[in-house]
């Protein structure tokens, strides 16, 4: 299977690219024109473009079997970012998927997406625009999975961290290392039980260890 990862230069995106490569997938990174990628990923096929470039976006998704969307607006004084990236940017990617015949799409979103009264909404109503992006994906035209991680951590020592998987609008607090989010994306890609599900994930050393497949059977 050949997968494309948008936002592959981001802190979560490059980890997804690493995990996909480790698991034997052929990977194509789609990143912004000035983005920097880690040295260990520089040999992977890479497209640099703006999502406003319809032709370039379509070319970047040719011959792709699945797309993982790891793009996301950052907290900024530019309050238009969430609308442009988390809603319109997702919409443009999905339209290109339709034109290229790509059905399998995994979207990395956020815990508490859709909530109005939340501190993150001080940055351009980011959780509301993410919800709109999720809604664009929830279509019969796609085999979709939405992954909503809690607060993202940079730590790589995850051996004792166990993931708590739950259905939509269940968790409101908690955090998770970006590495585990990346692994969850690959688990979702490998497991059809994740199709047409929104999965909320946090992690802790206190949680019971549960396999991804077993978790999907209960969601």
């Amino acid at each position: 299977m050949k997968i494309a990862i948008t936002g592959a230069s981001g802190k979560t995106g490059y980890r997804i690219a690493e995990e996909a490569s480790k698991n034997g997938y052929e990977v194509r990174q789609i990143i912004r024109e000035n983005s920097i990628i880690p040295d260990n990923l520089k040999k992977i096929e890479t497209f640099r473009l703006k999502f406003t470039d319809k032709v370039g976006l379509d070319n970047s998704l040719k011959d792709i079997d699945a797309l993982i969307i790891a793009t996301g607006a950052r907290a900024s004084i530019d309050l238009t970012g969430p609308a442009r990236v988390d809603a319109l940017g997702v919409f443009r990617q999905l339209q290109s998927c339709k034109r290229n015949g790509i059905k399998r799409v995994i979207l990395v979103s956020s815990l508490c997406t859709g909530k109005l009264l939340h501190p993150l909404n001080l940055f351009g109503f980011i959780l509301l625009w993410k919800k709109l992006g999720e809604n664009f994906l929830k279509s019969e035209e796609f085999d979709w999975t939405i992954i909503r991680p809690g607060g993202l951590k940079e730590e790589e020592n995850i051996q004792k961290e166990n993931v708590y998987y739950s259905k939509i609008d269940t968790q409101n607090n908690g955090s998770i290392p970006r590495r585990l989010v990346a692994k969850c994306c690959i688990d979702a890609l490998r497991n059809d039980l994740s199709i047409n599900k929104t999965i909320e994930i946090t992690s802790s050393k206190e949680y019971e260890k549960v396999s991804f497949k077993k978790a999907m059977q209960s969601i």
Side-chain angles (χ1 to χ4, degrees):
M1 178 182 285
K2 187 168 188 176
I3 65 172
I5 303 166
T6 54
S9 62
K11 293 180 179 180
T12 301
Y14 86 77
R15 289 174 167 97
I16 297 173
E18 287 178 340
E19 293 299 324
S21 297
K22 287 179 189 176
N23 282 274
Y25 291 101
E26 188 177 354
V27 177
R28 179 181 295 166
Q29 303 174 117
I30 302 174
I31 61 178
R32 292 177 297 179
E33 293 168 323
N34 298 321
S35 294
I36 298 173
I37 54 179
D39 289 341
N40 65 318
L41 296 176
K42 287 183 176 177
K43 292 183 179 180
I44 292 177
E45 184 181 20
T46 302
F47 279 71
R48 295 177 179 271
L49 53 86
K50 295 179 180 179
F51 290 149
T52 53
D53 177 3
K54 181 178 176 180
V55 174
L57 182 56
D58 284 354
N59 287 336
S60 74
L61 291 178
K62 281 184 177 178
D63 305 316
I64 290 297
D65 300 303
L67 171 64
I68 299 178
I69 300 176
T71 52
R74 298 171 183 171
S76 167
I77 59 173
D78 178 9
L79 300 183
T80 67
R84 288 187 290 102
V85 177
D86 295 300
L88 186 56
V90 170
F91 176 78
R92 285 173 171 151
Q93 292 177 66
L94 295 177
Q95 291 300 107
S96 185
C97 284
K98 292 177 185 179
R99 292 190 292 269
N100 278 284
I102 300 169
K103 284 189 63 67
R104 187 69 175 109
V105 181
I106 296 170
L107 171 65
V108 180
S109 186
S110 173
L111 214 65
C112 298
T113 285
K115 292 187 181 297
L116 176 61
L117 300 177
H118 193 283
L120 282 177
N121 283 328
L122 295 174
F123 302 100
F125 295 103
I126 189 169
L127 294 176
L128 301 185
W129 290 115
K130 282 185 179 292
K131 181 65 173 179
L132 186 57
E134 288 186 1
N135 289 343
F136 287 143
L137 178 56
K138 290 181 177 180
S139 163
E140 293 180 354
E141 296 179 82
F142 298 111
D143 292 332
W144 57 268
T145 304
I146 296 167
I147 296 174
R148 289 182 171 182
L152 296 168
K153 300 189 292 185
E154 305 301 323
E155 66 185 74
E156 292 287 341
N157 184 16
I158 60 171
Q159 284 75 17
K160 295 182 180 180
E161 288 278 320
N162 293 322
V163 179
Y164 171 41
Y165 306 92
S166 66
K167 62 183 180 180
I168 188 171
D169 296 333
T170 302
Q171 301 188 60
N172 293 308
N173 300 293
S175 60
I176 187 168
R178 293 179 188 271
R179 180 64 61 183
L180 284 178
V181 179
K183 288 179 176 293
C184 184
C185 288
I186 303 307
D187 285 339
L189 194 62
R190 295 161 55 180
N191 196 313
D192 287 348
L193 289 172
S194 71
I195 290 175
N196 296 345
K197 289 181 180 177
T198 299
I199 307 161
E200 297 190 338
I201 54 172
T202 56
S203 72
S204 170
K205 296 178 176 63
E206 307 303 319
Y207 292 153
E208 178 185 357
K209 188 176 182 63
V210 177
S211 71
F212 184 87
K213 182 177 180 179
K214 184 177 180 179
M216 292 307 99
Q217 291 171 337
S218 64
I219 293 178

